[in-house]
């Protein structure tokens, strides 16, 4: 089976392994980034103490979220590529079509993954910012509101920031994955090999992640503020509030840890995914 036609099991297992590996190994950097972006301030949110606070939420949500992303991404990419190969008659147009397919597939993957990622992020970030001492207590606090806001209200609270998360993740992924795929393709052409090694995929994923992370930092700040707000706020009013209280510079708060975290995360996430996928593919051919 070629890398362009992945099996469901390979994408599921490799994605789950990659997600868990990157989230657990880089959790402290994610905590520091969240505290830098918090409206309460870095020190008031915990500073350098308790940097693994909220890790329980990451453990629960990492594997299913990443598995959902890669299953959707790989199959969407394969489906679109197959249709292009059947329908394409203008060879010149093919150079533009492939990156667009990667953008579309990555966007669909992110929407699917956010079904798991958003509630995980809400619980995790409230623990990271010091609002609760653990993910479990943060989750219990949300669920306890059932008596006052009902089940629909609890559901909305768990998915607070859904719109801005999609608005952050889709542009990020639209930048990262086509760039990653482009660099992998260039590497394959240079080496003359059919596939990419885990090391190659990891290094190229790190570069692509760093570029995408820096560009989308303002969206990440907005998402963090919306999730941490004591009362639910819409996107535009929150944006105006940040500008009023902290000025434009606030939208680049935590850019250092974010770029460092996602650059390292891109290497671990996409490198471990490629390693697991290559290993599973070889085993499937035996």
């Amino acid at each position: 089976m070629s890398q362009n036609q992945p099996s469901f099991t390979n994408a599921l297992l490799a994605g789950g392994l990659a997600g868990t590996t990157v989230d657990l190994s880089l959790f402290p950097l994610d905590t520091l980034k969240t505290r830098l972006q918090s409206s309460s301030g870095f020190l008031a949110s915990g500073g350098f103490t308790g940097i693994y606070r909220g890790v329980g939420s990451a453990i629960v949500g990492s594997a299913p979220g990443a598995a959902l992303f890669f299953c959707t991404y790989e199959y969407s990419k394969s489906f679109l590529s197959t249709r292009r190969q059947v329908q394409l008659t203008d060879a010149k147009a093919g150079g533009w079509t492939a990156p667009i397919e990667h953008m579309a597939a990555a966007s669909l993957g992110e929407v699917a993954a956010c079904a798991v990622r958003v509630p995980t992020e809400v619980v995790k970030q409230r623990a990271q910012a010091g609002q609760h001492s653990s993910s479990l207590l943060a989750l219990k606090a949300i669920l306890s509101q059932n008596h006052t806001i009902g089940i629909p209200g609890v559901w909305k609270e768990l998915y607070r920031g859904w719109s801005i998360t999609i608005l952050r993740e889709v542009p990020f992924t639209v930048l990262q994955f086509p760039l990653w795929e482009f660099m992998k393709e260039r590497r394959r052409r240079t080496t003359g090999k059919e596939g990419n090694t885990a090391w190659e995929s990891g290094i190229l994923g790190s570069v692509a992640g760093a570029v995408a992370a820096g560009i989308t930092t303002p969206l990440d700040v907005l998402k963090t503020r919306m999730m941490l707000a004591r009362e639910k706020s819409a996107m535009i009013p929150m944006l105006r509030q940040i500008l009023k209280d902290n000025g434009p510079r606030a939208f680049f708060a935590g850019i250092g840890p974010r770029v460092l975290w996602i650059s390292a995360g891109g290497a671990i996430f996409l490198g471990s995914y490629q390693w697991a996928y290559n290993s599973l593919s070889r085993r499937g051919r035996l």
Side-chain angles (χ1 to χ4, degrees):
M1 180 175 292
S2 72
Q3 287 187 337
N4 292 326
Q5 295 179 316
S7 75
F8 176 82
T9 303
N10 288 2
L12 181 73
L13 295 177
L17 175 66
T20 302
T21 301
V22 69
D23 281 355
L24 293 185
S25 59
L26 298 177
F27 191 85
L29 277 175
D30 183 41
T31 299
L32 296 179
K33 184 268 301 181
T34 297
R35 292 174 179 177
L36 283 167
Q37 293 177 349
S38 172
S39 59
S40 301
F42 179 71
L43 294 177
S45 297
F48 290 99
T49 63
I51 55 176
Y52 276 95
R53 190 182 297 156
V55 71
S57 178
I59 292 173
V60 171
S62 295
L68 266 175
F69 172 82
F70 273 111
C71 286
T72 306
Y73 174 70
E74 293 285 8
Y75 267 85
S76 298
K77 185 177 69 171
S78 179
F79 173 76
L80 293 170
S81 177
T82 301
R83 287 196 62 183
R84 170 168 54 91
Q85 290 169 10
V86 170
Q87 298 177 358
L88 189 61
T89 57
D90 183 358
K92 187 176 180 180
W96 291 99
T97 307
I100 293 173
E101 290 170 356
H102 298 155
M103 291 178 186
S107 299
L108 291 171
E110 283 298 347
V111 172
C114 280
V116 173
R117 186 176 297 151
V118 172
T120 300
E121 283 276 301
V122 169
V123 172
K124 180 192 73 174
Q125 291 196 328
R126 291 185 185 187
Q128 286 176 323
Q131 294 182 8
H132 304 280
S133 59
S134 69
S135 293
L136 182 60
L137 290 177
L139 178 60
K140 285 182 175 179
I142 294 172
L143 297 178
S144 67
Q145 297 179 59
N146 174 51
H147 301 295
T148 55
I149 61 177
I151 293 177
V154 169
W155 192 260
K156 289 179 181 179
E157 192 69 14
L158 282 171
Y159 279 89
R160 185 195 288 192
W162 165 271
S163 58
I164 186 59
T165 303
I166 295 291
L167 204 60
R168 178 198 67 170
E169 295 295 348
V170 169
F172 173 83
T173 307
V174 161
L175 289 169
Q176 184 188 31
F177 273 78
L179 181 57
W180 178 58
E181 294 282 6
F182 171 76
M183 291 190 292
K184 286 202 302 176
E185 177 64 26
R186 288 294 297 270
R187 178 62 181 168
R188 288 194 294 269
R189 290 180 180 178
T190 301
T191 61
K193 296 180 180 178
E194 182 182 349
N196 298 99
T197 67
W199 284 106
E200 290 171 346
S201 185
I203 292 170
L204 300 178
S206 176
V207 174
V211 172
I215 293 172
T216 58
T217 296
L219 293 172
D220 187 54
V221 172
L222 186 57
K223 186 233 29 156
T224 299
R225 292 289 186 93
M226 288 180 69
M227 286 186 170
L228 294 180
R230 295 291 181 180
E231 296 184 4
K232 189 174 181 178
S233 174
M235 190 190 314
I236 299 302
M238 177 60 73
L239 187 151
R240 289 172 178 165
Q241 190 66 43
I242 295 172
L243 285 172
K244 178 182 176 182
D245 295 343
N246 308 109
R249 290 184 61 184
F251 286 101
F252 289 92
I255 188 172
R258 175 170 165 79
V259 170
L260 180 62
W261 165 53
I262 293 181
S263 177
I268 297 170
F269 184 56
L270 296 173
S272 59
Y273 174 77
Q274 195 76 56
W275 172 82
Y277 187 83
N278 289 349
S279 299
L280 290 167
S281 295
R282 283 195 297 270
R283 180 174 296 181
R285 288 194 294 265
L286 294 178

